[in-house]
Amino acid sequence: MFQKVLLFQILISAAICSRGLRNTVSTTFIKQTTTGTITSEIPVSTRNDKVELTVYYETLCPASVDFFVTQLKPTVKRLTEHLDVHLIPYGHAKTFRSRGRYFFDCQHGRRECFANMVHACAIDVLRNNTHSIFFNSCLMQYISYQSNYDYFVSVVSWCGYTEKVHIAEIWKCVKGLRGNILLKKYGDATHELSPSYVPYLMINGSTQHQDEASSDLLGTVCRILNPKPKACRS
């Protein structure tokens, strides 16, 4: 009489790696025989259901603006549940300390330092990645290094209206000590990495996908994600 063999597939682990992005799934096959139960653990797949993206940039750099408007915003709009985005608005700037405050010298002048601080405060106040990315993308789309202060303020109000953002708390941050400290923090992070150009991208803590992600962020993220979400198949 032939022995009946029963095969059970049991999920036994979903170990999260250090950045909380890659879930390694293992499967145990349990075979019942007349002599007892034999088990063997076989890794069957590696899940990447969320991608961490860190963007080092400066607000008035044309390349940074283009990346936000044509790559980052559309990708976040389609894959927001599968992205963990960290924005680092500072770029090729310098930080100085005087009389208990920090001062900044930015590549595209004082307007860029001011815009960087608005971005830093928006990230801090809004908390939500998607909300801050859409708001900051709006600012970058309509502001240039030639924009004067009054025009800048009007654009902040306009983007607040279109993105449903209450800008009062953002202005409070910009005009107070909080914005100063935040931009210093982003400066420290940028100087530690010392990128030779911006926008500078890190995906899951690596620069491996830097070039392809700069021109095809959606395609790059979709190639990393496993399993592929519906947004990557449409």
Side-chain angles (χ1 to χ4, degrees), residues 102-173:
Y102 297 106
F103 296 87
F104 308 94
D105 181 18
C106 298
Q107 186 175 29
H108 296 92
R110 295 173 62 185
R111 292 182 180 89
E112 183 167 72
C113 289
F114 184 70
N116 286 349
M117 192 173 294
V118 172
H119 275 232
C121 285
I123 295 164
D124 184 63
V125 170
L126 297 177
R127 302 292 180 180
N128 182 290
N129 273 340
T130 302
H131 219 177
S132 61
I133 289 167
F134 285 7
F135 177 73
N136 285 340
S137 294
C138 179
L139 297 180
M140 294 175 80
Q141 186 171 359
Y142 294 107
I143 294 173
S144 75
Y145 64 90
Q146 296 175 321
S147 303
N148 61 38
Y149 178 78
D150 290 338
Y151 177 75
F152 194 115
V153 171
S154 67
V155 169
V156 172
S157 297
W158 167 251
C159 290
Y161 172 76
T162 58
E163 299 299 333
K164 297 179 174 58
V165 170
H166 297 292
I167 62 173
E169 285 299 312
I170 295 176
W171 281 129
K172 181 179 178 181
C173 170

Side-chain angles (χ1 to χ4, degrees):
M1 182 177 180
F2 294 103
Q3 297 177 346
K4 292 184 178 180
V5 179
L6 302 177
L7 187 64
F8 298 94
Q9 192 173 22
I10 301 176
L11 182 68
I12 64 168
S13 69
I16 299 177
C17 295
S18 59
R19 292 186 179 273
L21 301 170
R22 300 186 180 94
N23 295 338
T24 302
V25 180
S26 298
T27 300
T28 295
F29 292 93
I30 302 179
K31 181 184 292 185
Q32 290 185 341
T33 68
T34 55
T35 58
T37 300
I38 302 173
T39 65
S40 61
E41 186 177 301
I42 305 173
V44 295
S45 66
T46 300
R47 293 181 62 89
N48 291 282
D49 52 15
K50 201 160 192 176
V51 169
E52 182 185 48
L53 171 66
T54 304
V55 184
Y56 295 81
Y57 69 102
E58 52 195 24
T59 51
L60 300 186
C61 167
S64 293
V65 174
D66 181 71
F67 176 76
F68 264 72
V69 175
T70 67
Q71 298 294 326
L72 183 59
K73 183 179 178 180
T75 300
V76 170
K77 191 172 183 179
R78 290 185 63 172
L79 295 173
T80 184
E81 295 180 358
H82 301 279
L83 282 169
D84 182 14
V85 182
H86 304 277
L87 301 180
I88 313 293
Y90 187 82
H92 300 301
K94 296 178 181 178
T95 302
F96 306 92
R97 183 176 175 85
S98 177
R99 299 177 183 177
R101 288 183 66 90
Y102 297 106
F103 296 87
F104 308 94
D105 181 18
C106 298
Q107 186 175 29
H108 296 92
R110 295 173 62 185
R111 292 182 180 89
E112 183 167 72
C113 289
F114 184 70
N116 286 349
M117 192 173 294
V118 172
H119 275 232
C121 285
I123 295 164
D124 184 63
V125 170
L126 297 177
R127 302 292 180 180
N128 182 290
N129 273 340
T130 302
H131 219 177
S132 61
I133 289 167
F134 285 7
F135 177 73
N136 285 340
S137 294
C138 179
L139 297 180
M140 294 175 80
Q141 186 171 359
Y142 294 107
I143 294 173
S144 75
Y145 64 90
Q146 296 175 321
S147 303
N148 61 38
Y149 178 78
D150 290 338
Y151 177 75
F152 194 115
V153 171
S154 67
V155 169
V156 172
S157 297
W158 167 251
C159 290
Y161 172 76
T162 58
E163 299 299 333
K164 297 179 174 58
V165 170
H166 297 292
I167 62 173
E169 285 299 312
I170 295 176
W171 281 129
K172 181 179 178 181
C173 170
V174 171
K175 296 175 182 178
L177 188 60
R178 180 65 177 164
N180 199 252
I181 294 173
L182 286 171
L183 195 54
K184 165 64 163 56
K185 179 190 74 172
Y186 288 130
D188 290 345
T190 303
H191 289 308
E192 182 177 353
L193 181 67
S194 191
S196 57
Y197 56 88
V198 291
Y200 194 84
L201 314 178
M202 297 189 72
I203 294 181
N204 292 349
S206 169
T207 59
Q208 176 184 354
H209 304 284
Q210 170 88 235
D211 292 340
E212 58 180 314
S214 297
S215 58
D216 183 19
L217 182 62
L218 178 63
T220 302
V221 172
C222 283
R223 283 188 286 275
I224 295 172
L225 289 171
N226 180 31
K228 296 286 183 289
K230 185 177 180 180
C232 288
R233 301 193 297 268
S234 59

